[in-house]
Each structure stands twice: as C-alpha cells, then as structure tokens.
Amino acid sequence: LREQTISSRPRTIRKYASNLDTFLRWLRDCRPEGEEALVSVLSKSMMVEFYAYASKHGRHGNGRSAGTMNKLMGPIYNAWEWAQNDDRWEGLVPSVKRFKMPKVPRVETRAPTWEEMDRCIAACNGWHRQLALVLRFTGLRVGQVMLLLWSDFDFEAASLTVRPELGKTDYEKMGRTVPVSKYLLTEMESWAPEGDRSGFIIDCGRDQTGPRAREARARDVSRAWERAGVPKDKRRQAHHCFRKGFKSGLVRSADWHAVERLLGHKIGTGEGHTYTDPNFLPLRDAVAAVPPLSNHLKPVPGEGRSSTGSA
C-alpha cells in the first residue's frame, strides 16, 4: 500500500488501508474455512458482489451512499492494478476488470456567506475558533492550517508561505508565498502568549508526536455551524465550506486568477499557468477584498465547550 501511495499523506494512507481492510475482512468471511484469500481469486463478479454488500452494510448498520462507495472501491482497484503490474506477482494476478458503478448524483454547491461564516466563528470556542478564523481568512484546507507554523507568517510583509510539504496537488507541492489579510494578523497577535511565536499557530493541546495529533475532527466545527443556524446545504463539509465561502465571497469582487492562486489552484486552464507570473497578479487587491470579522456578533451558547474539546 505504501509503495503505491508513496507521495500521499499519512492520513490518506490510513484511509486507504481502512478501505482495503474492509474488503479483506469481507473476502475472508466469504472463503470456506481454511481456504486463503489470495489475490488470484479477484474477479469482476467478486467486485460486484462486494459492492452490493458494502453499500447495504456501512458503519453502525447504515448503508453507504454512491459517493462513499466510489471512495471505498478506488483503493481496492488501485491495489489490484498495482499487484497486476508488479513483476513479483506476474502470472498470478487476474487482469483488472471494472464494472460500471452507479453515478453519484450531482449536488448544487451552495457556499456560506461572510456573515454566516462569522456566525459559525462566534459559535466556536478555544482553538477551534482560531482554526475557523484562519480557514475563513485564507481559504486553505484544514490539514494545511493545522500544520502552519508561526515562522510561515511574515507579519511585517503581511504574507504567508505555504510550504511545499503542505501541498495536496503536484502544483501545490511547488510551494507558494501569498499575501494575508491584516485583519487575520491582528487576531493572531493575541494568540502567542508573551510574544512567543514558535511552533504551530494552532495549539490544539494534544501530544504533537502522535499520528493524529494535528488532525481536526469535523464534528467539532459541525456543531458550531448548527448552533449558528446556517442551513445544512451550506455546511455539508464543516471545515471545507470555509474554503467554498472564501472563493464564493471573492469571485464577485476580485480577479479570478488571483483568487485561484490564493487557493493553490492552477492559474488558467491546462498548462497555461506556466505562462503567468503570479507576481503580476493582483493578489493583494484580492486579499484586501476579504472583509473584517463581524465582531459585533456575540458568542453563541453551547454545551460542553472547552478550549481543547468540542467547538
């Protein structure tokens, strides 16, 4: 598994491993007692049978949606193709044969407004509020924000360096330095006790060495969105909807290419981005279009909130 996902993040590898483990448990249960579940038994009909079973038997006895099933089947087929193309298994692995999985129905994207994002932030507490603030002002992914260091920010130049190792796509892994809102920097100045700007900007109060130490649970912010009264179709992905809100809020008033650059997307279409110098893009104008936080909003009461626990 690690050989085929050598450039993937640990969290992605663990997810792929979990999906493969689900398939292997089912496969072993289907084999007669004493018969090994070898790779040579893989077939198209087996994949169809597993899909039918897994779609009806998800976590907690619930079924899985078509979208979830696509994510589940992907690593299984990837592992099959890897085994087929590996010389060590030559002649032992059947040819990969895919079946047509049900299409995932397209859902219209609706993004929260600046005001709705601010209401969610007001409903957060402790480090979850800090996380939501950075997501709101930068449009970064949650995994990237959780790994940002104080040294990534230049307070004098009002800029942020997104290190190559934080990139998700090949383009992002080139790294980039972008301007950052002065409103966010002002908020961050109160986060560092006694001016100690070292380590991660988000102090989640956990062991920093564990494999999941820097992961943020979506449910913590999901509860804040709910308390803020934001419609469900605007908060399907608790952390990622800040990214959607950031883009939707800026495309109306800022240069489209500049917004794409801030988000870490390729500029233009295809390979056209190689002819565009990011330094010539109106990035600071785009960042200046990000409105300040609605500080008139008061914290929303919630049960069981703490600085290191739920949002």
Side-chain angles (χ1 to χ4, degrees), residues 130-141:
Q130 297 176 348
L131 171 60
L133 275 167
V134 181
L135 292 171
R136 187 259 199 206
F137 278 104
T138 64
L140 294 177
R141 297 179 176 86

Side-chain angles (χ1 to χ4, degrees), residues 142-156:
V142 60
Q144 295 170 327
V145 174
M146 291 297 290
L147 294 175
L148 286 179
L149 303 171
W150 281 100
S151 57
D152 294 328
F153 288 84
D154 187 330
F155 280 70
E156 292 185 4

Side-chain angles (χ1 to χ4, degrees), residues 107-135:
V107 179
E108 181 182 0
T109 299
R110 292 192 65 203
T113 63
W114 295 115
E115 192 270 342
E116 287 173 328
M117 287 190 283
D118 292 350
R119 279 160 44 196
C120 175
I121 293 172
C124 291
N125 193 40
W127 67 269
H128 297 291
R129 182 180 186 277
Q130 297 176 348
L131 171 60
L133 275 167
V134 181
L135 292 171

Side-chain angles (χ1 to χ4, degrees), residues 194-260:
E194 301 180 357
D196 179 19
R197 295 179 180 177
S198 62
F200 297 105
I201 64 167
I202 305 297
D203 182 10
C204 59
R206 299 176 185 166
D207 177 12
Q208 306 300 309
T209 60
R212 298 179 182 271
R214 304 307 302 175
E215 292 183 10
R217 296 176 299 186
R219 71 180 186 185
D220 295 319
V221 178
S222 292
R223 293 166 180 167
W225 282 110
E226 185 176 359
R227 289 197 297 271
V230 178
K232 287 185 178 180
D233 59 345
K234 290 187 176 184
R235 53 180 171 89
R236 287 194 180 93
Q237 297 170 294
H239 294 122
H240 201 70
C241 54
F242 280 103
R243 185 173 170 88
K244 295 179 181 178
F246 179 87
K247 180 175 182 178
S248 298
L250 286 186
V251 292
R252 303 184 183 93
S253 55
D255 179 81
W256 180 81
H257 293 87
V259 176
E260 291 294 289

Side-chain angles (χ1 to χ4, degrees), residues 1 16 24 62 128 165 168 183 185 187 200 205 232 236 244 294:
L1 176 63
Y16 285 175
L24 288 174
N62 300 321
H128 297 291
E165 59 266 29
K168 180 178 180 180
Y183 300 118
L185 296 179
E187 289 279 346
F200 297 105
K232 287 185 178 180
R236 287 194 180 93
K244 295 179 181 178
S294 303

